[in-house]
């Protein structure tokens, strides 16, 4: 049946093939609820943060699964107390394998041991002074294991030691080089190049880890190389740059010199978790078969928000409004 | 009041009705612009830059997709509040049509589809009433709500046809007489056979919900001859709406709704067949505007807002819960930027007996004094009093700073007048005023010329704002 057997359709320029999909909407257990961030853990598994639903607190969580979609567990934690989160925004693992999560509601960073999801410590407080945060979003680590956090409403990036001691900051509001307008995500490659999605300036800035601008690319629009509110960003081993072009519902790929290379549009099929649901609800599957001509648009990305590339050159994209992770293979 | 104060009081009145109230800075700005110019400004929201949708999506990721009724309610209130300072009439007209064409999630159970209906009211609510009815007839939430998806050729379901006539256009009767017959209901239903919806994805799994869409099924449409309201022909649904829109009873019914919502509280809708309008001359003027403008809602409202009957109707309406919550939010300056705490506050409308997007029936909410019962009154008073006395709210801070910087000494009367003015030129009955003066008088001298006295004056002003928010008079718009 077409619903399941979609094959491996290529990306727009053919440098990638659709591989598979993980996920389905679920407020708890196997599934996601508005996935906003993903990362690979030290155990080789995939971790996905769900922003959830304010009326369904347990849906706000971090889910752990294998990279081929075997559900392994979850870390719930809705609340304002220590180690809890309400508006979880980004997750990342540092070199020691600790799980860091940014929390926009309480303006702080929570740190966990991913083996049992136990809470370790937290840092950050609301404000605009040194070390204070106003809606922290993206988080990443440099080669010295220092933490770089996108302090989105303060339009800057702040650096901390791994235990949360303030080390420095760079950036300010504006649209010039080194300035930001509500930046979203941050990614640091193996050479300590820092990539920041400058959300409301519709561009990406590549900087040194102390904030010197190396390259700026993008611009507002929906053409090749243009963005409508870029969110997640990552690079791969070849230096190719992946940008979630959020409101254009696509992921754009650039080479290391920021030359446009390809576009992923989403080809989501039915995941294992979704198939389990359909097997238990055959009337839904029957309706989907009847409406097969309308399914194609629903395979597409709907607000892709986070991207990472693993060592096998598989590209994982958190497809937020469709509650799934779509996976492409670089060819 | 002086002429200037009168002008500002009128502008404040206009902004309460054509929006969700106004801050004192907005009242000053629009008073300077001029009353009639403000009417034009409000009636053309499309000329004003809109709010930033990207912010809504960035922070309210889950609500944007609206997978449950609370999420949908919150998104609706967010837009009411966010546009209150830029495009208030766009939101107010959406709220108005949601009252008239009440559609509820209790049955529809598809939040995004119903939110699309509210957006349709925003887009077309100030235009041609005839065109709006066509959009409504094609609205998938309405189609499902009133069963037109099971209204088939040869096997009609008359639910939509009946409510189109009874609640959405003509009303059951006028001047003591019926407006239509049972046969009209059935013939109207025939004209809308085949007007159905594409609901291919009601389930959230595997692809997430997607909004329903209108679909015309030609094979299921009854193309036969019909007789509707005395006219005979092979009418389609749009033909029937053309016939309905030109009926005097439709003009009366829609104008009474507009009067009840924007001017003064009327008796409840079921009484309109046998109860004359509160102000028959005002309704006659509005009916004339209805026909002269070819059913244009914006033109009717322009006549209304510039009329003496409107200007003389200050505080003749009990605020709806949406007006209480959004109006207070706007004055105190809350949530102009997305915040998680907004979720709980948006639900205040529900606690005050107006569960937006989930009306009690297709008849919508009963208005006027029926908004008030002991439970909802306590909710109203507590909510407003808390908000108006919270100096962490930028609007409250601005009111305090504005008034207390005017002079170094206040009489109790002066402090109370200043508060009433800043809240939108509210008026108190003599007894309420004298009670308030007595309470403020007991507090002692009110001075602002040293920090300690100013702090005392600020606390007293906050108590005064709180007490005004708890008055009976504050429940009226």
């Amino acid at each position: 049946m077409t619903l399941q057997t979609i094959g491996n359709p290529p990306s727009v320029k053919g440098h990638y093939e659709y591989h598979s999909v993980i996920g389905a909407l679920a407020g708890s257990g196997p599934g996601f609820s508005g996935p906003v961030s993903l990362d690979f853990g030290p155990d080789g598994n995939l971790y996905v943060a769900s922003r959830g639903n304010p009326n369904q607190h347990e849906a706000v969580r971090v889910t752990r699964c294998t990279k081929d979609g075997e559900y392994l567990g979850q870390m719930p934690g809705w609340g304002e107390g220590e180690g809890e989160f309400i508006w979880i925004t980004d997750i990342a693992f540092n070199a020691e394998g600790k799980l860091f999560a940014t929390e926009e509601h309480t303006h702080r960073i929570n740190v966990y041991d991913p083996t049992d999801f136990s809470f370790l410590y937290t840092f950050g407080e609301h404000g605009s002074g040194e070390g204070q945060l106003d809606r922290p979003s993206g988080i990443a680590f440099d080669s010295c294991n220092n933490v770089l956090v996108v302090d989105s409403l303060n339009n800057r990036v702040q650096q901390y030691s791994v235990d949360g001691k303030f080390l420095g900051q760079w950036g300010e509001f504006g649209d010039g080089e080194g300035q930001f307008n509500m930046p979203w995500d941050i990614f640091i490659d193996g050479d300590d190049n820092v990539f920041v999605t400058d959300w409301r300036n519709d561009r990406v800035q590549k900087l040194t880890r102390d904030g010197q601008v190396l390259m700026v690319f993008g611009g507002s629009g929906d053409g090749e190389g243009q963005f409508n509110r870029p969110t997640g960003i990552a690079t791969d081993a070849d230096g190719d740059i992946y940008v979630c072009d959020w409101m254009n519902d696509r992921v754009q790929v650039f080479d290391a010199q920021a030359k446009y290379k390809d576009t992923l549009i989403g080809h989501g099929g039915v995941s294992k978790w979704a198939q389990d649901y359909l097997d238990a609800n055959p009337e839904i599957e029957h309706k989907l078969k009847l409406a097969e001509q309308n399914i194609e648009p629903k395979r597409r990305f709907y607000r892709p928000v986070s991207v990472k590339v693993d060592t096998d050159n598989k590209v994982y994209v958190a497809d937020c409004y469709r509650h799934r992770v779509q996976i492409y293979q670089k060819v | 009041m002086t002429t200037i104060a009168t002008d500002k009081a009128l502008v404040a009145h206009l902004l309460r009705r054509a929006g969700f109230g106004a801050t004192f800075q907005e009242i000053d700005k629009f008073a300077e612009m001029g009353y009639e110019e403000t009417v034009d400004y409000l009636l053309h929201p499309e000329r004003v830059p809109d709010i930033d949708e990207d912010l809504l999506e960035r922070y309210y990721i889950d609500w944007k997709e609206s997978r449950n009724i609370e999420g949908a309610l919150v998104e609706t209130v967010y837009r009411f509040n966010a546009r209150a300072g830029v495009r208030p009439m766009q939101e107010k007209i959406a709220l108005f049509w949601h009252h008239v064409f009440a559609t509820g999630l209790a049955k529809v159970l598809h939040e995004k589809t119903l939110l699309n209906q509210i957006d349709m009211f925003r887009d077309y609510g100030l235009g041609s009433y005839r065109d709006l009815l066509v959009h409504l007839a094609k609205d998938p939430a309405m189609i499902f709500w009133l069963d037109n998806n099971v209204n088939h050729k040869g096997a009609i379901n008359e639910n939509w046809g009946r409510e189109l006539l009874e609640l959405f256009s003509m009303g059951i009767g006028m001047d003591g007489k019926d407006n239509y017959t049972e046969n009209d209901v059935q013939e109207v239903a025939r004209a809308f056979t085949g007007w159905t919806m594409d609901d291919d994805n009601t389930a959230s799994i595997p692809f997430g919900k997607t909004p329903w869409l209108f679909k015309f099924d030609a094979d299921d449409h009854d193309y036969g001859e019909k007789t509707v309201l005395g006219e005979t022909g092979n009418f389609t649904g749009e033909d029937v709406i053309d016939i309905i829109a030109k009926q005097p009873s439709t003009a009366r019914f829609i104008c009474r709704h507009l009067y009840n919502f924007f001017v003064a509280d009327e008796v409840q809708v079921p009484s309109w067949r046998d109860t004359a309008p509160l102000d028959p001359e005002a309704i006659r003027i509005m009916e004339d505007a209805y026909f002269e403008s070819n059913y244009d809602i914006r033109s009717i409202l322009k006549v209304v807002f510039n009329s003496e009957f409107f200007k003389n109707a200050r505080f003749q309406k009990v605020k709806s819960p949406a007006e209480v919550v959004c109006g207070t939010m706007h004055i105190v300056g809350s949530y102009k930027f997305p915040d998680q705490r907004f979720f709980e506050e948006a639900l205040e409308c529900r606690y005050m007996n107006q569960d937006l997007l989930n009306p009690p029936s297709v008849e919508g909410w009963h208005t006027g004094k029926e908004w008030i019962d002991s439970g909802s009154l306590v909710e109203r008073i507590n909510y407003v009093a808390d908000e108006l006395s919270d100096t962490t709210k930028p609007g409250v801070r601005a009111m305090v700073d504005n008034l207390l910087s005017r002079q170094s000494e206040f009489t109790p009367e002066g402090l109370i007048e200043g508060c009433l003015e800043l809240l939108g030129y509210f008026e108190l009955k003599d007894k309420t005023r004298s009670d308030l003066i007595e309470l403020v008088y007991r507090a002692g001298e009110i001075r602002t010329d040293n920090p300690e006295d100013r702090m005392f004056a600020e606390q007293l002003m906050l108590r005064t704002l709180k007490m005004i928010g708890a008055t009976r008079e504050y429940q009226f718009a």
Side-chain angles (χ1 to χ4, degrees), chain B residues 14-161:
Chain B
L14 173 65
L15 290 164
R16 275 191 294 274
R17 301 299 179 80
F20 293 93
T23 63
F24 68 91
Q25 299 100 324
E26 289 167 341
I27 293 168
D28 287 348
K29 182 185 84 174
F30 285 115
E32 195 170 320
M33 181 190 284
Y35 185 89
E36 289 186 13
E37 290 77 9
T38 302
V39 169
D40 279 342
Y41 173 93
L42 293 170
L43 288 173
H44 287 281
E46 75 283 0
R47 295 174 183 168
V48 183
D50 203 357
I51 58 171
D52 296 320
E53 286 283 325
D54 58 345
L55 286 181
L56 179 66
E57 286 207 42
R58 172 164 180 164
Y59 291 107
Y60 299 149
I61 288 170
D62 36 9
W63 303 347
K64 172 69 182 175
E65 204 228 7
S66 298
R67 293 189 307 280
N68 61 27
I69 184 170
E70 285 78 15
L73 187 156
V74 167
E75 185 182 334
T76 303
V77 176
Y78 179 86
R79 289 176 199 276
F80 287 173
N81 181 47
R83 290 199 179 102
V86 285
R87 293 178 164 198
M89 193 62 212
Q90 183 174 341
E91 298 307 303
K92 206 62 183 286
I93 202 70
L95 180 61
F96 168 71
W97 288 120
H98 182 43
H99 270 259
V100 180
F101 302 145
T103 309
L105 285 172
K107 178 176 177 182
V108 174
L109 292 174
H110 201 294
E111 295 77 11
K112 195 63 193 169
T113 300
L114 186 50
L115 287 173
N116 284 350
Q117 184 191 84
I118 306 297
D119 277 343
M120 183 265 286
F121 297 155
R122 292 182 172 107
D123 292 342
Y124 301 103
L126 285 169
S128 157
Y129 170 71
R130 179 264 175 206
D131 293 349
L132 183 65
L133 275 189
V134 174
H135 285 292
L136 186 72
K138 292 181 177 179
D139 182 81
M142 180 57 78
I143 287 169
F144 188 77
W145 174 241
L146 292 182
D147 305 317
N148 212 53
N149 55 323
V150 291
N151 179 24
H152 300 295
K153 179 173 65 177
I156 61 167
N157 182 307
E158 61 180 42
N159 202 4
W160 157 252

Side-chain angles (χ1 to χ4, degrees), chain A residues 19 81 84 89 119 152 163 196 215 241 243 308:
Chain A
H19 180 273
E84 296 177 325
T89 304
F119 170 66
S152 66
D163 56 355
V196 178
M215 182 168 70
I241 306 163
V243 183
K308 291 285 186 306

Side-chain angles (χ1 to χ4, degrees), chain B residues 162-181:
Chain B
R162 179 177 302 282
E163 303 306 1
L164 172 62
L165 296 174
E166 182 179 331
L167 292 174
F168 302 158
S169 62
M170 300 172 70
I172 196 165
M174 178 173 80
D175 301 332
K177 295 176 184 167
D178 292 335
N179 285 332
Y180 54 86
T181 66

Side-chain angles (χ1 to χ4, degrees), chain A residues 25 33 36 51-55 86-87 104-105 135 152-153 182-184 199-200 229 246-247 274 277 284 287-288 291 294 298 303 320-324, chain B residues 52-55 57-65 67-68 70-71 112 198-210 337-341 343:
Chain A
L25 173 63
S33 180
V36 287
R51 184 87 161 202
N53 178 325
N55 199 42
I86 289 177
W87 265 3
E104 287 188 297
H105 176 64
R135 304 271 170 105
S152 66
L153 291 190
M182 296 182 67
W184 183 303
W199 189 67
R200 269 204 148 175
R229 303 296 184 262
W246 190 53
M247 291 185 93
Y277 173 83
I284 303 285
K287 284 190 79 173
L288 285 169
N294 295 333
K298 297 163 192 168
R303 300 299 189 261
C320 185
Y321 285 5
R322 298 244 183 261
H323 318 286
R324 63 191 174 189
Chain B
D52 296 320
E53 286 283 325
D54 58 345
L55 286 181
E57 286 207 42
R58 172 164 180 164
Y59 291 107
Y60 299 149
I61 288 170
D62 36 9
W63 303 347
K64 172 69 182 175
E65 204 228 7
R67 293 189 307 280
N68 61 27
E70 285 78 15
K112 195 63 193 169
D198 184 348
D199 66 338
D200 68 295
N201 189 16
T202 305
S204 299
I205 297 173
F207 297 111
K209 282 185 182 179
T210 48
F337 197 83
D339 191 303
Q340 169 71 25
R341 289 168 295 186
F343 177 75

Side-chain angles (χ1 to χ4, degrees), chain A residues 1-299:
Chain A
M1 171 183 132
T2 312
L3 205 58
Q4 278 83 3
T5 56
I6 61 167
N8 300 100
S11 57
V12 171
K13 301 293 183 186
H15 297 293
Y16 299 83
E17 280 182 352
Y18 171 77
H19 180 273
S20 57
V21 62
I22 301 172
L25 173 63
S28 186
F32 310 125
S33 180
V36 287
S37 179
L38 57 83
D39 202 4
F40 308 117
D43 53 4
N45 290 316
L46 181 67
Y47 290 71
V48 179
S50 287
R51 184 87 161 202
N53 178 325
N55 199 42
Q56 198 177 10
H57 298 169
E58 68 274 16
V60 185
R61 66 200 193 273
V62 176
T63 303
R64 173 167 48 203
C65 59
T66 64
K67 289 201 284 187
D68 54 0
E70 214 51 58
Y71 175 74
L72 298 173
Q74 64 181 18
M75 175 177 69
W78 196 93
E80 293 181 325
E82 277 213 329
E84 296 177 325
F85 41 77
I86 289 177
W87 265 3
I88 191 168
T89 304
D90 196 19
I91 56 172
F93 291 90
N94 75 345
E96 298 158 345
K98 289 175 182 166
L99 173 62
F100 287 63
T102 54
E103 213 289 271
E104 287 188 297
H105 176 64
T106 52
H107 312 278
R108 66 190 180 194
I109 316 299
N110 292 333
V111 186
Y112 307 90
D113 178 349
T115 56
D116 58 359
F117 289 130
S118 57
F119 170 66
L120 299 174
Y121 59 94
T122 188
F123 60 92
E125 61 179 10
H126 190 209
S128 58
E130 286 187 348
Q132 294 181 318
L133 295 160
D134 196 355
R135 304 271 170 105
S137 52
I139 185 167
F141 304 91
D142 66 16
S143 59
C144 301
N145 205 23
N146 292 323
V147 189
L148 277 75
V149 178
V150 171
D151 185 10
S152 66
L153 291 190
N154 286 325
N155 299 292
R156 64 186 177 183
V157 171
Q158 296 206 73
Q159 296 170 296
Y160 302 86
S161 64
V162 74
D163 56 355
K165 184 181 165 199
F166 173 74
L167 299 177
Q169 63 177 55
W170 37 266
E172 61 183 4
F173 175 77
D175 58 8
E177 288 193 353
Q179 296 179 318
F180 300 99
N181 190 348
M182 296 182 67
W184 183 303
D185 197 15
I186 186 168
F187 183 85
I188 303 176
D189 68 15
D191 298 322
D192 275 338
N193 295 306
V194 179
F195 297 82
V196 178
T197 45
D198 191 1
W199 189 67
R200 269 204 148 175
N201 282 328
D202 291 324
R203 65 184 184 180
V204 171
Q205 298 199 56
K206 178 182 177 184
L207 313 101
T208 63
R209 63 181 170 180
D210 57 355
Q212 300 302 306
V213 177
L214 301 173
M215 182 168 70
V216 179
F217 64 97
S220 300
D222 58 6
E224 288 182 357
Q226 295 178 316
F227 302 119
N228 189 352
R229 303 296 184 262
T231 50
I233 187 163
T235 67
D236 65 17
D238 302 323
D240 288 344
I241 306 163
Y242 301 77
V243 183
C244 293
D245 188 6
W246 190 53
M247 291 185 93
N248 283 329
D249 294 318
R250 64 187 181 182
V251 175
Q252 293 199 71
V253 188
F254 302 84
D255 68 15
Q257 283 70 48
K259 185 180 170 198
Y260 169 77
K261 186 174 175 180
D262 208 341
T263 299
L264 314 178
I265 58 173
H267 292 88
V270 177
S271 71
K272 271 192 269 188
W273 302 347
Q275 189 58 55
D276 289 345
Y277 173 83
L278 292 177
D279 289 346
N281 296 275
E283 75 285 0
I284 303 285
E285 187 158 15
H286 177 66
K287 284 190 79 173
L288 285 169
K289 283 180 186 172
L290 292 177
E292 237 170 60
Q293 73 278 7
N294 295 333
I295 284 177
E296 208 53 28
K298 297 163 192 168
R299 299 191 188 283

